[in-house]
PDB file of all heavy atoms in Angstrom:
ATOM      1  N   GLY A   1      -4.492 -13.660   9.111  1.00  0.00           N
ATOM      2  CA  GLY A   1      -3.360 -13.811  10.003  1.00  0.00           C
ATOM      3  C   GLY A   1      -3.164 -12.652  10.958  1.00  0.00           C
ATOM      4  O   GLY A   1      -2.505 -12.803  11.990  1.00  0.00           O
ATOM      5  N   ARG A   2      -3.709 -11.502  10.613  1.00  0.00           N
ATOM      6  CA  ARG A   2      -3.614 -10.312  11.448  1.00  0.00           C
ATOM      7  C   ARG A   2      -4.655  -9.307  10.984  1.00  0.00           C
ATOM      8  O   ARG A   2      -4.972  -9.254   9.799  1.00  0.00           O
ATOM      9  CB  ARG A   2      -2.207  -9.721  11.390  1.00  0.00           C
ATOM     10  CG  ARG A   2      -1.963  -8.602  12.387  1.00  0.00           C
ATOM     11  CD  ARG A   2      -0.481  -8.358  12.568  1.00  0.00           C
ATOM     12  NE  ARG A   2      -0.227  -7.232  13.451  1.00  0.00           N
ATOM     13  CZ  ARG A   2       0.945  -6.930  13.977  1.00  0.00           C
ATOM     14  NH1 ARG A   2       2.002  -7.692  13.708  1.00  0.00           N
ATOM     15  NH2 ARG A   2       1.084  -5.882  14.766  1.00  0.00           N
ATOM     16  N   THR A   3      -5.167  -8.511  11.893  1.00  0.00           N
ATOM     17  CA  THR A   3      -6.180  -7.532  11.541  1.00  0.00           C
ATOM     18  C   THR A   3      -5.553  -6.366  10.791  1.00  0.00           C
ATOM     19  O   THR A   3      -4.447  -5.925  11.100  1.00  0.00           O
ATOM     20  CB  THR A   3      -6.911  -7.008  12.778  1.00  0.00           C
ATOM     21  OG1 THR A   3      -5.965  -6.406  13.674  1.00  0.00           O
ATOM     22  CG2 THR A   3      -7.616  -8.140  13.508  1.00  0.00           C
ATOM     23  N   VAL A   4      -6.284  -5.855   9.797  1.00  0.00           N
ATOM     24  CA  VAL A   4      -5.776  -4.740   9.015  1.00  0.00           C
ATOM     25  C   VAL A   4      -5.660  -3.482   9.858  1.00  0.00           C
ATOM     26  O   VAL A   4      -4.860  -2.593   9.552  1.00  0.00           O
ATOM     27  CB  VAL A   4      -6.660  -4.467   7.777  1.00  0.00           C
ATOM     28  CG1 VAL A   4      -6.578  -5.637   6.808  1.00  0.00           C
ATOM     29  CG2 VAL A   4      -8.109  -4.213   8.184  1.00  0.00           C
ATOM     30  N   SER A   5      -6.441  -3.390  10.929  1.00  0.00           N
ATOM     31  CA  SER A   5      -6.388  -2.222  11.794  1.00  0.00           C
ATOM     32  C   SER A   5      -5.097  -2.163  12.604  1.00  0.00           C
ATOM     33  O   SER A   5      -4.756  -1.112  13.152  1.00  0.00           O
ATOM     34  CB  SER A   5      -7.596  -2.191  12.737  1.00  0.00           C
ATOM     35  OG  SER A   5      -7.613  -3.335  13.575  1.00  0.00           O
ATOM     36  N   SER A   6      -4.383  -3.277  12.698  1.00  0.00           N
ATOM     37  CA  SER A   6      -3.128  -3.325  13.431  1.00  0.00           C
ATOM     38  C   SER A   6      -1.917  -3.238  12.508  1.00  0.00           C
ATOM     39  O   SER A   6      -0.776  -3.345  12.964  1.00  0.00           O
ATOM     40  CB  SER A   6      -3.041  -4.604  14.263  1.00  0.00           C
ATOM     41  OG  SER A   6      -2.939  -5.751  13.441  1.00  0.00           O
ATOM     42  N   LEU A   7      -2.156  -3.046  11.221  1.00  0.00           N
ATOM     43  CA  LEU A   7      -1.099  -2.983  10.226  1.00  0.00           C
ATOM     44  C   LEU A   7      -1.130  -1.654   9.487  1.00  0.00           C
ATOM     45  O   LEU A   7      -2.180  -1.017   9.395  1.00  0.00           O
ATOM     46  CB  LEU A   7      -1.239  -4.120   9.213  1.00  0.00           C
ATOM     47  CG  LEU A   7      -1.038  -5.548   9.703  1.00  0.00           C
ATOM     48  CD1 LEU A   7      -1.588  -6.526   8.677  1.00  0.00           C
ATOM     49  CD2 LEU A   7       0.436  -5.818   9.952  1.00  0.00           C
ATOM     50  N   ASN A   8       0.010  -1.265   8.974  1.00  0.00           N
ATOM     51  CA  ASN A   8       0.073  -0.171   8.021  1.00  0.00           C
ATOM     52  C   ASN A   8      -0.112  -0.779   6.634  1.00  0.00           C
ATOM     53  O   ASN A   8       0.714  -1.581   6.190  1.00  0.00           O
ATOM     54  CB  ASN A   8       1.406   0.564   8.111  1.00  0.00           C
ATOM     55  CG  ASN A   8       1.541   1.369   9.381  1.00  0.00           C
ATOM     56  OD1 ASN A   8       1.025   2.486   9.469  1.00  0.00           O
ATOM     57  ND2 ASN A   8       2.227   0.818  10.366  1.00  0.00           N
ATOM     58  N   MET A   9      -1.199  -0.416   5.967  1.00  0.00           N
ATOM     59  CA  MET A   9      -1.548  -0.993   4.682  1.00  0.00           C
ATOM     60  C   MET A   9      -1.288  -0.006   3.559  1.00  0.00           C
ATOM     61  O   MET A   9      -1.363   1.213   3.751  1.00  0.00           O
ATOM     62  CB  MET A   9      -3.017  -1.412   4.657  1.00  0.00           C
ATOM     63  CG  MET A   9      -3.432  -2.330   5.796  1.00  0.00           C
ATOM     64  SD  MET A   9      -2.662  -3.974   5.693  1.00  0.00           S
ATOM     65  CE  MET A   9      -3.345  -4.572   4.143  1.00  0.00           C
ATOM     66  N   ALA A  10      -1.019  -0.532   2.373  1.00  0.00           N
ATOM     67  CA  ALA A  10      -0.728   0.331   1.233  1.00  0.00           C
ATOM     68  C   ALA A  10      -1.067  -0.353  -0.075  1.00  0.00           C
ATOM     69  O   ALA A  10      -1.183  -1.577  -0.152  1.00  0.00           O
ATOM     70  CB  ALA A  10       0.740   0.747   1.240  1.00  0.00           C
ATOM     71  N   TRP A  11      -1.219   0.463  -1.108  1.00  0.00           N
ATOM     72  CA  TRP A  11      -1.372  -0.007  -2.477  1.00  0.00           C
ATOM     73  C   TRP A  11      -0.203   0.509  -3.301  1.00  0.00           C
ATOM     74  O   TRP A  11       0.161   1.687  -3.203  1.00  0.00           O
ATOM     75  CB  TRP A  11      -2.678   0.475  -3.103  1.00  0.00           C
ATOM     76  CG  TRP A  11      -3.899  -0.216  -2.580  1.00  0.00           C
ATOM     77  CD1 TRP A  11      -4.720   0.205  -1.586  1.00  0.00           C
ATOM     78  CD2 TRP A  11      -4.444  -1.452  -3.050  1.00  0.00           C
ATOM     79  NE1 TRP A  11      -5.738  -0.684  -1.393  1.00  0.00           N
ATOM     80  CE2 TRP A  11      -5.601  -1.721  -2.279  1.00  0.00           C
ATOM     81  CE3 TRP A  11      -4.071  -2.363  -4.043  1.00  0.00           C
ATOM     82  CZ2 TRP A  11      -6.383  -2.861  -2.477  1.00  0.00           C
ATOM     83  CZ3 TRP A  11      -4.846  -3.499  -4.237  1.00  0.00           C
ATOM     84  CH2 TRP A  11      -5.983  -3.732  -3.455  1.00  0.00           C
ATOM     85  N   PHE A  12       0.372  -0.366  -4.102  1.00  0.00           N
ATOM     86  CA  PHE A  12       1.402  -0.030  -5.072  1.00  0.00           C
ATOM     87  C   PHE A  12       0.921  -0.468  -6.448  1.00  0.00           C
ATOM     88  O   PHE A  12      -0.014  -1.263  -6.557  1.00  0.00           O
ATOM     89  CB  PHE A  12       2.724  -0.727  -4.749  1.00  0.00           C
ATOM     90  CG  PHE A  12       3.410  -0.213  -3.515  1.00  0.00           C
ATOM     91  CD1 PHE A  12       3.010  -0.607  -2.253  1.00  0.00           C
ATOM     92  CD2 PHE A  12       4.482   0.662  -3.625  1.00  0.00           C
ATOM     93  CE1 PHE A  12       3.641  -0.143  -1.116  1.00  0.00           C
ATOM     94  CE2 PHE A  12       5.134   1.134  -2.492  1.00  0.00           C
ATOM     95  CZ  PHE A  12       4.705   0.732  -1.236  1.00  0.00           C
ATOM     96  N   ARG A  13       1.550   0.032  -7.483  1.00  0.00           N
ATOM     97  CA  ARG A  13       1.218  -0.413  -8.829  1.00  0.00           C
ATOM     98  C   ARG A  13       2.467  -0.442  -9.691  1.00  0.00           C
ATOM     99  O   ARG A  13       3.430   0.274  -9.445  1.00  0.00           O
ATOM    100  CB  ARG A  13       0.147   0.485  -9.468  1.00  0.00           C
ATOM    101  CG  ARG A  13       0.608   1.902  -9.778  1.00  0.00           C
ATOM    102  CD  ARG A  13      -0.561   2.727 -10.297  1.00  0.00           C
ATOM    103  NE  ARG A  13      -0.159   4.073 -10.673  1.00  0.00           N
ATOM    104  CZ  ARG A  13      -1.003   5.019 -11.070  1.00  0.00           C
ATOM    105  NH1 ARG A  13      -2.314   4.753 -11.138  1.00  0.00           N
ATOM    106  NH2 ARG A  13      -0.559   6.225 -11.391  1.00  0.00           N
ATOM    107  N   GLN A  14       2.426  -1.286 -10.728  1.00  0.00           N
ATOM    108  CA  GLN A  14       3.539  -1.415 -11.653  1.00  0.00           C
ATOM    109  C   GLN A  14       3.006  -1.391 -13.083  1.00  0.00           C
ATOM    110  O   GLN A  14       2.445  -2.389 -13.555  1.00  0.00           O
ATOM    111  CB  GLN A  14       4.316  -2.702 -11.400  1.00  0.00           C
ATOM    112  CG  GLN A  14       5.570  -2.832 -12.233  1.00  0.00           C
ATOM    113  CD  GLN A  14       6.469  -3.963 -11.751  1.00  0.00           C
ATOM    114  OE1 GLN A  14       6.042  -4.831 -10.998  1.00  0.00           O
ATOM    115  NE2 GLN A  14       7.709  -3.938 -12.178  1.00  0.00           N
ATOM    116  N   PRO A  15       3.166  -0.260 -13.784  1.00  0.00           N
ATOM    117  CA  PRO A  15       2.748  -0.191 -15.188  1.00  0.00           C
ATOM    118  C   PRO A  15       3.599  -1.118 -16.049  1.00  0.00           C
ATOM    119  O   PRO A  15       4.712  -1.488 -15.654  1.00  0.00           O
ATOM    120  CB  PRO A  15       2.984   1.274 -15.555  1.00  0.00           C
ATOM    121  CG  PRO A  15       3.036   1.998 -14.244  1.00  0.00           C
ATOM    122  CD  PRO A  15       3.661   1.021 -13.293  1.00  0.00           C
ATOM    123  N   PRO A  16       3.115  -1.483 -17.230  1.00  0.00           N
ATOM    124  CA  PRO A  16       3.883  -2.367 -18.121  1.00  0.00           C
ATOM    125  C   PRO A  16       5.251  -1.789 -18.445  1.00  0.00           C
ATOM    126  O   PRO A  16       5.361  -0.643 -18.876  1.00  0.00           O
ATOM    127  CB  PRO A  16       3.011  -2.458 -19.369  1.00  0.00           C
ATOM    128  CG  PRO A  16       1.626  -2.155 -18.894  1.00  0.00           C
ATOM    129  CD  PRO A  16       1.808  -1.142 -17.810  1.00  0.00           C
ATOM    130  N   GLY A  17       6.299  -2.580 -18.227  1.00  0.00           N
ATOM    131  CA  GLY A  17       7.651  -2.170 -18.553  1.00  0.00           C
ATOM    132  C   GLY A  17       8.246  -1.109 -17.648  1.00  0.00           C
ATOM    133  O   GLY A  17       9.316  -0.588 -17.955  1.00  0.00           O
ATOM    134  N   LYS A  18       7.579  -0.780 -16.547  1.00  0.00           N
ATOM    135  CA  LYS A  18       8.068   0.247 -15.643  1.00  0.00           C
ATOM    136  C   LYS A  18       8.242  -0.301 -14.232  1.00  0.00           C
ATOM    137  O   LYS A  18       7.806  -1.408 -13.920  1.00  0.00           O
ATOM    138  CB  LYS A  18       7.122   1.445 -15.636  1.00  0.00           C
ATOM    139  CG  LYS A  18       6.966   2.127 -16.982  1.00  0.00           C
ATOM    140  CD  LYS A  18       6.045   3.328 -16.891  1.00  0.00           C
ATOM    141  CE  LYS A  18       5.906   4.019 -18.228  1.00  0.00           C
ATOM    142  NZ  LYS A  18       5.009   5.197 -18.156  1.00  0.00           N
ATOM    143  N   GLU A  19       8.873   0.492 -13.377  1.00  0.00           N
ATOM    144  CA  GLU A  19       9.121   0.067 -12.007  1.00  0.00           C
ATOM    145  C   GLU A  19       7.887   0.271 -11.137  1.00  0.00           C
ATOM    146  O   GLU A  19       6.993   1.057 -11.460  1.00  0.00           O
ATOM    147  CB  GLU A  19      10.318   0.824 -11.423  1.00  0.00           C
ATOM    148  CG  GLU A  19      10.110   2.317 -11.330  1.00  0.00           C
ATOM    149  CD  GLU A  19      11.352   3.046 -10.854  1.00  0.00           C
ATOM    150  OE1 GLU A  19      12.428   2.428 -10.842  1.00  0.00           O
ATOM    151  OE2 GLU A  19      11.249   4.226 -10.489  1.00  0.00           O
ATOM    152  N   ARG A  20       7.854  -0.441 -10.032  1.00  0.00           N
ATOM    153  CA  ARG A  20       6.746  -0.327  -9.096  1.00  0.00           C
ATOM    154  C   ARG A  20       6.732   1.049  -8.440  1.00  0.00           C
ATOM    155  O   ARG A  20       7.776   1.611  -8.125  1.00  0.00           O
ATOM    156  CB  ARG A  20       6.870  -1.430  -8.047  1.00  0.00           C
ATOM    157  CG  ARG A  20       5.684  -1.572  -7.124  1.00  0.00           C
ATOM    158  CD  ARG A  20       5.906  -2.749  -6.176  1.00  0.00           C
ATOM    159  NE  ARG A  20       6.087  -3.993  -6.910  1.00  0.00           N
ATOM    160  CZ  ARG A  20       6.513  -5.122  -6.361  1.00  0.00           C
ATOM    161  NH1 ARG A  20       6.800  -5.175  -5.073  1.00  0.00           N
ATOM    162  NH2 ARG A  20       6.647  -6.211  -7.109  1.00  0.00           N
ATOM    163  N   GLU A  21       5.532   1.585  -8.223  1.00  0.00           N
ATOM    164  CA  GLU A  21       5.401   2.897  -7.624  1.00  0.00           C
ATOM    165  C   GLU A  21       4.325   2.905  -6.538  1.00  0.00           C
ATOM    166  O   GLU A  21       3.376   2.125  -6.558  1.00  0.00           O
ATOM    167  CB  GLU A  21       5.072   3.953  -8.681  1.00  0.00           C
ATOM    168  CG  GLU A  21       3.738   3.740  -9.380  1.00  0.00           C
ATOM    169  CD  GLU A  21       3.485   4.751 -10.476  1.00  0.00           C
ATOM    170  OE1 GLU A  21       4.458   5.342 -10.981  1.00  0.00           O
ATOM    171  OE2 GLU A  21       2.303   4.964 -10.837  1.00  0.00           O
ATOM    172  N   PHE A  22       4.489   3.805  -5.591  1.00  0.00           N
ATOM    173  CA  PHE A  22       3.556   3.963  -4.490  1.00  0.00           C
ATOM    174  C   PHE A  22       2.267   4.605  -4.964  1.00  0.00           C
ATOM    175  O   PHE A  22       2.281   5.506  -5.801  1.00  0.00           O
ATOM    176  CB  PHE A  22       4.197   4.820  -3.395  1.00  0.00           C
ATOM    177  CG  PHE A  22       3.244   5.281  -2.336  1.00  0.00           C
ATOM    178  CD1 PHE A  22       2.837   4.423  -1.322  1.00  0.00           C
ATOM    179  CD2 PHE A  22       2.749   6.571  -2.343  1.00  0.00           C
ATOM    180  CE1 PHE A  22       1.954   4.842  -0.340  1.00  0.00           C
ATOM    181  CE2 PHE A  22       1.868   7.014  -1.376  1.00  0.00           C
ATOM    182  CZ  PHE A  22       1.470   6.142  -0.369  1.00  0.00           C
ATOM    183  N   VAL A  23       1.139   4.155  -4.413  1.00  0.00           N
ATOM    184  CA  VAL A  23      -0.168   4.703  -4.764  1.00  0.00           C
ATOM    185  C   VAL A  23      -0.835   5.356  -3.561  1.00  0.00           C
ATOM    186  O   VAL A  23      -1.189   6.536  -3.596  1.00  0.00           O
ATOM    187  CB  VAL A  23      -1.099   3.631  -5.353  1.00  0.00           C
ATOM    188  CG1 VAL A  23      -2.488   4.202  -5.608  1.00  0.00           C
ATOM    189  CG2 VAL A  23      -0.508   3.057  -6.642  1.00  0.00           C
ATOM    190  N   ALA A  24      -1.035   4.593  -2.477  1.00  0.00           N
ATOM    191  CA  ALA A  24      -1.743   5.108  -1.314  1.00  0.00           C
ATOM    192  C   ALA A  24      -1.445   4.263  -0.092  1.00  0.00           C
ATOM    193  O   ALA A  24      -1.065   3.098  -0.203  1.00  0.00           O
ATOM    194  CB  ALA A  24      -3.253   5.141  -1.568  1.00  0.00           C
ATOM    195  N   THR A  25      -1.628   4.844   1.089  1.00  0.00           N
ATOM    196  CA  THR A  25      -1.424   4.122   2.338  1.00  0.00           C
ATOM    197  C   THR A  25      -2.456   4.552   3.372  1.00  0.00           C
ATOM    198  O   THR A  25      -2.980   5.667   3.318  1.00  0.00           O
ATOM    199  CB  THR A  25      -0.003   4.344   2.890  1.00  0.00           C
ATOM    200  OG1 THR A  25       0.220   3.506   4.029  1.00  0.00           O
ATOM    201  CG2 THR A  25       0.200   5.798   3.311  1.00  0.00           C
ATOM    202  N   ILE A  26      -2.746   3.651   4.310  1.00  0.00           N
ATOM    203  CA  ILE A  26      -3.658   3.935   5.412  1.00  0.00           C
ATOM    204  C   ILE A  26      -3.041   3.382   6.691  1.00  0.00           C
ATOM    205  O   ILE A  26      -2.552   2.252   6.719  1.00  0.00           O
ATOM    206  CB  ILE A  26      -5.064   3.352   5.144  1.00  0.00           C
ATOM    207  CG1 ILE A  26      -6.040   3.756   6.253  1.00  0.00           C
ATOM    208  CG2 ILE A  26      -5.009   1.830   4.993  1.00  0.00           C
ATOM    209  CD1 ILE A  26      -7.499   3.434   5.906  1.00  0.00           C
ATOM    210  N   GLY A  27      -3.035   4.188   7.759  1.00  0.00           N
ATOM    211  CA  GLY A  27      -2.422   3.805   9.017  1.00  0.00           C
ATOM    212  C   GLY A  27      -3.379   3.124   9.972  1.00  0.00           C
ATOM    213  O   GLY A  27      -4.459   2.677   9.588  1.00  0.00           O
ATOM    214  N   TRP A  28      -2.969   3.054  11.244  1.00  0.00           N
ATOM    215  CA  TRP A  28      -3.802   2.409  12.259  1.00  0.00           C
ATOM    216  C   TRP A  28      -5.106   3.159  12.455  1.00  0.00           C
ATOM    217  O   TRP A  28      -6.125   2.559  12.813  1.00  0.00           O
ATOM    218  CB  TRP A  28      -3.049   2.299  13.588  1.00  0.00           C
ATOM    219  CG  TRP A  28      -2.695   3.632  14.200  1.00  0.00           C
ATOM    220  CD1 TRP A  28      -1.549   4.334  14.016  1.00  0.00           C
ATOM    221  CD2 TRP A  28      -3.512   4.388  15.099  1.00  0.00           C
ATOM    222  NE1 TRP A  28      -1.587   5.506  14.735  1.00  0.00           N
ATOM    223  CE2 TRP A  28      -2.778   5.565  15.417  1.00  0.00           C
ATOM    224  CE3 TRP A  28      -4.774   4.200  15.665  1.00  0.00           C
ATOM    225  CZ2 TRP A  28      -3.282   6.537  16.272  1.00  0.00           C
ATOM    226  CZ3 TRP A  28      -5.275   5.175  16.518  1.00  0.00           C
ATOM    227  CH2 TRP A  28      -4.536   6.321  16.815  1.00  0.00           C
ATOM    228  N   SER A  29      -5.066   4.461  12.221  1.00  0.00           N
ATOM    229  CA  SER A  29      -6.273   5.274  12.219  1.00  0.00           C
ATOM    230  C   SER A  29      -6.767   5.389  10.780  1.00  0.00           C
ATOM    231  O   SER A  29      -6.000   5.740   9.886  1.00  0.00           O
ATOM    232  CB  SER A  29      -5.988   6.655  12.798  1.00  0.00           C
ATOM    233  OG  SER A  29      -7.102   7.516  12.656  1.00  0.00           O
ATOM    234  N   ALA A  30      -8.027   5.086  10.559  1.00  0.00           N
ATOM    235  CA  ALA A  30      -8.585   5.098   9.208  1.00  0.00           C
ATOM    236  C   ALA A  30      -8.500   6.464   8.552  1.00  0.00           C
ATOM    237  O   ALA A  30      -8.476   6.564   7.323  1.00  0.00           O
ATOM    238  CB  ALA A  30     -10.035   4.619   9.234  1.00  0.00           C
TER     239      ALA A  30
END
């Protein structure tokens, strides 16, 4: 639906029984 190069992309994770947390992000520039 849209190129990843035009989006701010990120990874999050949620351990068992815990809240979601930030892991990593990549901007328009790799």
Side-chain angles (χ1 to χ4, degrees):
R2 189 163 176 167
T3 59
V4 294
S5 61
S6 68
L7 294 164
N8 289 279
M9 306 292 297
W11 287 95
F12 290 79
R13 68 185 183 185
Q14 186 168 16
K18 299 182 179 180
E19 63 185 13
R20 189 177 301 168
E21 63 184 22
F22 168 78
V23 176
T25 187
I26 185 169
W28 63 269
S29 173

